[in-house]
PDB file of all heavy atoms in Angstrom:
ATOM      1  N   SER A1061     181.324  -2.431   4.918  1.00  0.00           N
ATOM      2  CA  SER A1061     179.974  -2.013   5.377  1.00  0.00           C
ATOM      3  C   SER A1061     179.836  -2.297   6.810  1.00  0.00           C
ATOM      4  O   SER A1061     178.924  -1.725   7.433  1.00  0.00           O
ATOM      5  CB  SER A1061     178.888  -2.752   4.644  1.00  0.00           C
ATOM      6  OG  SER A1061     178.852  -4.069   4.869  1.00  0.00           O
ATOM      7  N   LEU A1062     180.677  -3.059   7.497  1.00  0.00           N
ATOM      8  CA  LEU A1062     180.597  -3.429   8.952  1.00  0.00           C
ATOM      9  C   LEU A1062     181.676  -2.653   9.672  1.00  0.00           C
ATOM     10  O   LEU A1062     182.780  -2.397   9.186  1.00  0.00           O
ATOM     11  CB  LEU A1062     180.844  -4.911   9.130  1.00  0.00           C
ATOM     12  CG  LEU A1062     179.747  -5.847   8.457  1.00  0.00           C
ATOM     13  CD1 LEU A1062     180.151  -7.255   8.727  1.00  0.00           C
ATOM     14  CD2 LEU A1062     178.377  -5.527   8.855  1.00  0.00           C
ATOM     15  N   PHE A1063     181.360  -2.156  10.910  1.00  0.00           N
ATOM     16  CA  PHE A1063     182.262  -1.485  11.711  1.00  0.00           C
ATOM     17  C   PHE A1063     183.049  -2.451  12.589  1.00  0.00           C
ATOM     18  O   PHE A1063     182.409  -3.191  13.503  1.00  0.00           O
ATOM     19  CB  PHE A1063     181.532  -0.391  12.600  1.00  0.00           C
ATOM     20  CG  PHE A1063     180.921   0.646  11.809  1.00  0.00           C
ATOM     21  CD1 PHE A1063     179.657   0.680  11.440  1.00  0.00           C
ATOM     22  CD2 PHE A1063     181.733   1.700  11.344  1.00  0.00           C
ATOM     23  CE1 PHE A1063     179.040   1.737  10.750  1.00  0.00           C
ATOM     24  CE2 PHE A1063     181.160   2.747  10.462  1.00  0.00           C
ATOM     25  CZ  PHE A1063     179.823   2.774  10.219  1.00  0.00           C
ATOM     26  N   PRO A1064     184.376  -2.512  12.435  1.00  0.00           N
ATOM     27  CA  PRO A1064     185.078  -3.581  13.160  1.00  0.00           C
ATOM     28  C   PRO A1064     185.176  -3.371  14.700  1.00  0.00           C
ATOM     29  O   PRO A1064     185.491  -4.397  15.294  1.00  0.00           O
ATOM     30  CB  PRO A1064     186.514  -3.469  12.515  1.00  0.00           C
ATOM     31  CG  PRO A1064     186.606  -2.102  12.023  1.00  0.00           C
ATOM     32  CD  PRO A1064     185.234  -1.706  11.511  1.00  0.00           C
ATOM     33  N   TRP A1065     184.959  -2.215  15.158  1.00  0.00           N
ATOM     34  CA  TRP A1065     185.110  -1.948  16.561  1.00  0.00           C
ATOM     35  C   TRP A1065     183.747  -2.226  17.252  1.00  0.00           C
ATOM     36  O   TRP A1065     183.543  -2.058  18.548  1.00  0.00           O
ATOM     37  CB  TRP A1065     185.568  -0.542  16.845  1.00  0.00           C
ATOM     38  CG  TRP A1065     184.523   0.522  16.266  1.00  0.00           C
ATOM     39  CD1 TRP A1065     183.435   1.049  16.802  1.00  0.00           C
ATOM     40  CD2 TRP A1065     184.707   1.136  15.108  1.00  0.00           C
ATOM     41  NE1 TRP A1065     182.819   2.015  15.917  1.00  0.00           N
ATOM     42  CE2 TRP A1065     183.609   2.119  14.844  1.00  0.00           C
ATOM     43  CE3 TRP A1065     185.615   0.955  13.953  1.00  0.00           C
ATOM     44  CZ2 TRP A1065     183.485   2.887  13.638  1.00  0.00           C
ATOM     45  CZ3 TRP A1065     185.521   1.778  12.840  1.00  0.00           C
ATOM     46  CH2 TRP A1065     184.425   2.710  12.707  1.00  0.00           C
ATOM     47  N   MET A1066     182.681  -2.558  16.508  1.00  0.00           N
ATOM     48  CA  MET A1066     181.374  -2.940  17.059  1.00  0.00           C
ATOM     49  C   MET A1066     181.194  -4.384  17.021  1.00  0.00           C
ATOM     50  O   MET A1066     181.713  -5.079  16.059  1.00  0.00           O
ATOM     51  CB  MET A1066     180.163  -2.241  16.208  1.00  0.00           C
ATOM     52  CG  MET A1066     180.135  -0.741  16.405  1.00  0.00           C
ATOM     53  SD  MET A1066     178.698  -0.067  15.424  1.00  0.00           S
ATOM     54  CE  MET A1066     178.757   1.644  16.051  1.00  0.00           C
ATOM     55  N   THR A1067     180.487  -4.920  17.905  1.00  0.00           N
ATOM     56  CA  THR A1067     180.080  -6.397  17.822  1.00  0.00           C
ATOM     57  C   THR A1067     179.074  -6.631  16.754  1.00  0.00           C
ATOM     58  O   THR A1067     178.575  -5.692  16.209  1.00  0.00           O
ATOM     59  CB  THR A1067     179.443  -6.875  19.197  1.00  0.00           C
ATOM     60  OG1 THR A1067     178.208  -6.108  19.369  1.00  0.00           O
ATOM     61  CG2 THR A1067     180.420  -6.474  20.437  1.00  0.00           C
ATOM     62  N   VAL A1068     178.924  -7.924  16.443  1.00  0.00           N
ATOM     63  CA  VAL A1068     177.823  -8.276  15.444  1.00  0.00           C
ATOM     64  C   VAL A1068     176.525  -7.718  15.871  1.00  0.00           C
ATOM     65  O   VAL A1068     175.862  -7.113  15.028  1.00  0.00           O
ATOM     66  CB  VAL A1068     177.848  -9.764  15.295  1.00  0.00           C
ATOM     67  CG1 VAL A1068     176.574 -10.321  14.590  1.00  0.00           C
ATOM     68  CG2 VAL A1068     179.062 -10.374  14.630  1.00  0.00           C
ATOM     69  N   ALA A1069     176.131  -7.780  17.040  1.00  0.00           N
ATOM     70  CA  ALA A1069     174.812  -7.307  17.486  1.00  0.00           C
ATOM     71  C   ALA A1069     174.784  -5.772  17.323  1.00  0.00           C
ATOM     72  O   ALA A1069     173.760  -5.111  17.007  1.00  0.00           O
ATOM     73  CB  ALA A1069     174.503  -7.696  18.946  1.00  0.00           C
ATOM     74  N   GLU A1070     175.771  -5.138  17.749  1.00  0.00           N
ATOM     75  CA  GLU A1070     175.898  -3.595  17.568  1.00  0.00           C
ATOM     76  C   GLU A1070     175.832  -3.175  16.178  1.00  0.00           C
ATOM     77  O   GLU A1070     175.089  -2.197  15.797  1.00  0.00           O
ATOM     78  CB  GLU A1070     177.110  -3.102  18.252  1.00  0.00           C
ATOM     79  CG  GLU A1070     177.116  -3.209  19.715  1.00  0.00           C
ATOM     80  CD  GLU A1070     178.452  -2.937  20.469  1.00  0.00           C
ATOM     81  OE1 GLU A1070     179.443  -2.954  19.832  1.00  0.00           O
ATOM     82  OE2 GLU A1070     178.322  -2.705  21.588  1.00  0.00           O
TER      83      GLU A1070
END
Side-chain angles (χ1 to χ4, degrees):
S1061 67
L1062 301 177
F1063 293 101
W1065 60 86
M1066 290 183 175
T1067 66
V1068 165
E1070 289 169 342

